[in-house]
Amino acid sequence: MTTADWDSTIDLRSDHTFTAEGVPQSVACTHDLPASNPDECQGSYPVAFSGTWKLVENNPIEIFFFDGDTLVMSGVRSGKTLGFWVGDRERPEPTYEYVHD
């Protein structure tokens, strides 16, 4: 998945692994306490990391992304789009969108 708005990619694989490159820290480094975030979140912006992903139980459109045991981000899929909200999740449009190419 790529986005035209910035140089960033998220590669979701069928074995439930992923690689993310150029992801804004506001998306990838906010779920757990800062001390438990991946090392990539302690440095410069943007971040790159890899790990595993899974669909949220009883919610087939929300995806959780993990680096080891640490939840680093969650996204919502809709068709070919994977959206990420920063701040208010009540907004209808995500802050960042990745589109499957």
Side-chain angles (χ1 to χ4, degrees), residues 18-83:
F18 76 94
T19 302
E21 296 181 11
V23 176
Q25 281 192 2
S26 60
V27 170
C29 301
T30 60
H31 285 284
D32 291 328
L33 297 173
S36 67
N37 272 325
D39 290 340
E40 293 83 352
C41 292
Q42 307 304 321
S44 63
Y45 177 89
V47 299
F49 54 90
S50 59
T52 59
W53 64 270
K54 71 175 185 176
L55 294 174
V56 176
E57 190 173 333
N58 298 322
N59 186 350
I61 66 168
E62 189 169 8
I63 301 174
F64 281 166
F65 295 85
F66 296 89
D67 182 358
D69 292 330
T70 303
L71 174 65
V72 291
M73 62 185 181
S74 64
V76 175
R77 63 185 183 147
S78 175
K80 290 185 167 189
T81 302
L82 179 61

Side-chain angles (χ1 to χ4, degrees), residues 75-98:
V76 175
R77 63 185 183 147
S78 175
K80 290 185 167 189
T81 302
L82 179 61
F84 295 91
W85 279 257
V86 175
D88 184 8
R89 288 193 69 150
E90 298 301 317
R91 291 185 317 235
E93 299 297 322
T95 309
Y96 298 99
E97 287 185 316
Y98 291 80

